[in-house]
Amino acid sequence: MTATEIAAAVRSGQRSARDVVEEHLAAIAARDRDLHAFLVVVADQAREAAAAIDAAVARGEDPGPLAGVPVAIKDTLCTRGVATTCGSRILDGWEPPYTATTVERILGAGGVVVGKTNCDEFAMGSSTENSAFGPTRNPLDPSRVPGGSSGGSAAAVAAAFAPLALGSDTGGSIRQPAALCGTVGVKPTYGRVSRYGLVAFASSLDQVGPFATTVADAALLLDVIAGHDPLDSTSIDDDHAPVSPQLAAGVAGLRIGLVEELTDVDGVQAPVRDAVAQAGAALEAAGATVERVSIPSAQYALSAYYLIAPAEASSNLARYDGVRYGLRVDADHAAAMNAETREAGFGPEVKRRIMLGTYALSAGYYDAYYRKAQQVRTLVIRDFARVYERCDALLAPTSPTVAFPLGAKTANPLEMYLSDVCTIPSSLAGHAAMSVPFGAGEGGLPIGVQVLAPALGEPVMFRVAAALEAAAG
Amino acid sequence: MSRSITRAEVEHVARLARLALSDEELDGFARELGVILEHAEDLAALDLDDVEPTAHPLPLVNVLRPDEVRPSLDRDEVLGQAPAVEDGRFRVPRILDAP
């Protein structure tokens, strides 16, 4: 059952939330030992929440649009009293004293949190192999990665452990795993969804968003979590116009661009390139006009991102100092305690990014690297603005490849970084983007087509996504 | 153009980042950071003198809110997560006269 179907059945009293949650907990118990989508399953809490929802329905109350829907939460989001580690030893056992706004909104809408999902440590990675607690496997082929960094959330939805999940996306961490696991994944416009309670990686890029099996379910969850939050000063200060009512609007008359630089870039597998072309043809058949467009600065976006994101991370992760929470390795003075704690608590990729970011921000290199990268960010924004004068939305691959085998890219950081080449440009611009399953590639594995829209372009983005979903069948 | 990074530079950066890296890690990062930064050299070659840098995607300036008293985090709950506390405060090793 989809989330939309579950919520309708629970609200009308046709199905109990308790029954729904038991079914999903049973699925987790049967298969998650092999997949490792979850770091923590909160079975008792989920049962209590479901019982409360059933009681509300029995009293004639409406529990809300997510009534009784199981939701998996990426472990980068704080949950009061429930261990939140971000896949890192340095936060092993940490129980936050507060809950992320997005999670509060899900609970307020009648959603049932079933657990916290695995991810690359501090969301740094593209395969979930950088989790300190072991990798997650792709439910469609357990010898392959689910993508990352939100691989646990993507796998949880693909394995039907929960119809909905939350992830976080800094350079593609929702969209790429969604593509690799054959689910829908949405990175909302920067500022559309609250970051309060999202553990910070790169604050000018991070955004929380939904995973779902259908476009309608993704819209359902986005409409619950989106909107201004006074606790996040970077959240956009206006009301969120719900996207769910847009889904049936069709694409007739919309102008769609196929982004050349993201489709023809080296490393994009032929079936992925073909899927984007077929997606364009499907939209044309549904009444849209489609043309090829160019974002010339996209070729520099990956390099710019891998300076900007580590620079922001090196600053954000300074807070893990062994003083207020998490791991402490004792030493006889504070500076040594800080350094020994961080050495023991962080894994190799997190150290690599901290080192890279610290280097890029250090005296003598700031202008050559960090400032240059910020200037490229301006070029990317300008290029998108020019294209969006002519287009309502854009198409590109989500990931250059289908899901790859575990271990295939762990020896070469740069090759792993290239997994994000198609998702990074819209992240730098702060725009909306989402991945929709469209066709299959090598080994019958799913391909994701990425729909890009300008800032606050979610309504048109979801219209295009719904049309692609209908065409994919 | 390849940009090599010396071990001394890596040690300096590790000190700035408060990471007590092992000898193996210092050697490894000298090699790896060079490879990653080599990829970034194509940016260094761009002529961007007239382009303003973008630090943030939203044009936000001084977001203000009314100065109202609101509940804050529970002190005991917060301190309950700390590695060491004393008299309602975080306890740390000595910070003065460090070597």
Side-chain angles (χ1 to χ4, degrees), chain A residues 80-81 93-98 189-191 195-196 203-205 230-231 233-236 299-304 306-308 312 322-328 330-340 342-343 346 348 351-356 358-360 362 365 368-379 381-382 411-414 417-418 427-430, chain B residues 1-7 9-23 25-26 28-30 32-66 70-85 89-99:
Chain A
R80 186 174 185 177
W94 181 56
E95 294 183 358
Y98 65 103
T189 301
Y190 182 86
R195 291 187 298 115
Y196 181 75
S203 302
S204 80
L205 297 158
L231 298 177
S233 63
T234 61
S235 102
I236 295 170
Q299 62 181 306
Y300 302 111
L302 187 79
S303 294
Y306 276 100
L307 294 168
I308 292 169
E312 293 189 24
V323 173
R324 290 152 297 165
Y325 33 68
L327 181 73
R328 171 184 292 188
D330 279 316
D332 63 358
H333 62 97
M337 181 276 284
N338 299 150
E340 294 293 345
R342 291 160 64 78
E343 170 65 10
F346 290 138
K351 289 180 192 169
R352 186 176 293 123
R353 303 242 189 146
I354 290 173
M355 290 293 289
L356 185 58
T358 305
Y359 182 84
S362 65
Y365 299 108
Y369 292 112
Y370 184 63
R371 189 181 153 85
K372 270 265 159 55
Q374 289 188 310
Q375 288 171 311
V376 168
R377 193 171 186 180
T378 304
L379 294 186
I381 291 169
R382 284 184 192 167
N412 185 344
L414 203 54
Y417 296 172
L418 285 167
S427 295
L428 289 176
Chain B
M1 183 182 98
S2 171
R3 203 198 127 67
S4 62
I5 300 206
T6 66
R7 195 182 148 110
E9 280 181 297
V10 174
E11 281 178 27
H12 172 65
V13 173
R15 219 168 15 250
L16 293 176
R18 291 269 169 100
L19 284 168
L21 297 179
S22 67
D23 284 345
E25 286 176 312
L26 289 170
F29 281 129
E32 286 174 7
L33 295 183
V35 172
I36 294 167
L37 289 170
E38 190 182 327
H39 192 77
E41 287 299 330
D42 53 352
L43 299 190
L46 289 174
D47 178 9
L48 298 171
D49 285 351
D50 301 332
V51 180
E52 282 294 307
T54 297
H56 200 270
L58 297 178
L60 294 171
V61 183
N62 295 345
V63 177
L64 303 176
R65 61 168 173 77
R70 288 184 315 195
S72 50
L73 299 177
D74 181 82
R75 191 177 76 166
D76 290 338
E77 194 176 352
V78 171
L79 289 174
Q81 293 292 321
V85 296
R89 290 167 293 178
F90 299 111
R91 183 183 163 85
V92 295
R94 69 192 167 93
I95 54 172
L96 298 178
D97 301 323

Side-chain angles (χ1 to χ4, degrees), chain A residues 234-384:
Chain A
T234 61
S235 102
I236 295 170
D237 192 6
D238 68 5
D239 292 334
H240 166 67
V243 292
S244 295
Q246 299 290 327
L247 297 178
V251 293
L254 290 185
R255 301 158 304 168
I256 307 296
L258 301 186
V259 184
E260 284 176 2
E261 288 81 1
L262 301 183
T263 308
D264 299 336
V265 67
D266 282 351
V268 175
Q269 291 174 337
V272 174
R273 196 171 298 149
D274 292 346
V276 175
Q278 286 157 14
L283 295 177
E284 217 156 28
T289 59
V290 179
E291 61 172 317
R292 290 175 72 82
V293 299
S294 177
I295 308 279
S297 57
Q299 62 181 306
Y300 302 111
L302 187 79
S303 294
Y305 174 87
Y306 276 100
L307 294 168
I308 292 169
E312 293 189 24
S314 71
S315 169
N316 272 325
L317 272 62
R319 72 192 62 182
Y320 304 104
D321 54 9
V323 173
R324 290 152 297 165
Y325 33 68
L327 181 73
R328 171 184 292 188
V329 175
D330 279 316
D332 63 358
H333 62 97
M337 181 276 284
N338 299 150
E340 294 293 345
T341 296
R342 291 160 64 78
E343 170 65 10
F346 290 138
E349 181 62 26
V350 172
K351 289 180 192 169
R352 186 176 293 123
R353 303 242 189 146
I354 290 173
M355 290 293 289
L356 185 58
T358 305
Y359 182 84
L361 291 175
S362 65
Y365 299 108
Y366 181 94
D367 284 339
Y369 292 112
Y370 184 63
R371 189 181 153 85
K372 270 265 159 55
Q374 289 188 310
Q375 288 171 311
V376 168
R377 193 171 186 180
T378 304
L379 294 186
V380 171
I381 291 169
R382 284 184 192 167
D383 283 352
F384 271 119

Side-chain angles (χ1 to χ4, degrees), chain A residues 433-461:
Chain A
M434 67 190 284
S435 182
V436 184
F438 197 89
E442 176 205 337
L445 290 162
I447 291 171
V449 166
Q450 191 181 189
V451 184
L452 296 83
L456 299 179
E458 277 85 355
V460 72
M461 179 174 83

Side-chain angles (χ1 to χ4, degrees), chain A residues 10-103:
Chain A
V10 169
R11 283 168 123 172
S12 67
Q14 281 176 299
R15 228 186 141 188
S16 73
R18 182 63 194 253
D19 180 44
V20 172
V21 79
E22 290 300 344
E23 179 190 307
H24 287 88
L25 290 173
I28 294 167
R31 208 176 164 210
D32 200 44
R33 213 188 320 252
D34 299 327
L35 297 179
H36 196 225
F38 286 98
L39 292 174
V40 181
V41 176
V42 289
D44 292 343
Q45 277 188 22
R47 290 188 176 106
E48 278 172 36
I53 286 159
D54 288 333
V57 172
R59 288 194 302 270
E61 296 165 14
D62 180 5
L66 295 181
V69 178
V71 187
I73 307 292
K74 186 181 184 182
D75 208 30
T76 51
L77 287 156
C78 290
T79 43
R80 186 174 185 177
V82 176
T84 298
T85 64
C86 301
S88 182
R89 292 274 173 217
I90 211 161
L91 282 177
D92 199 358
W94 181 56
E95 294 183 358
Y98 65 103
T99 296
T101 296
T102 44
V103 178

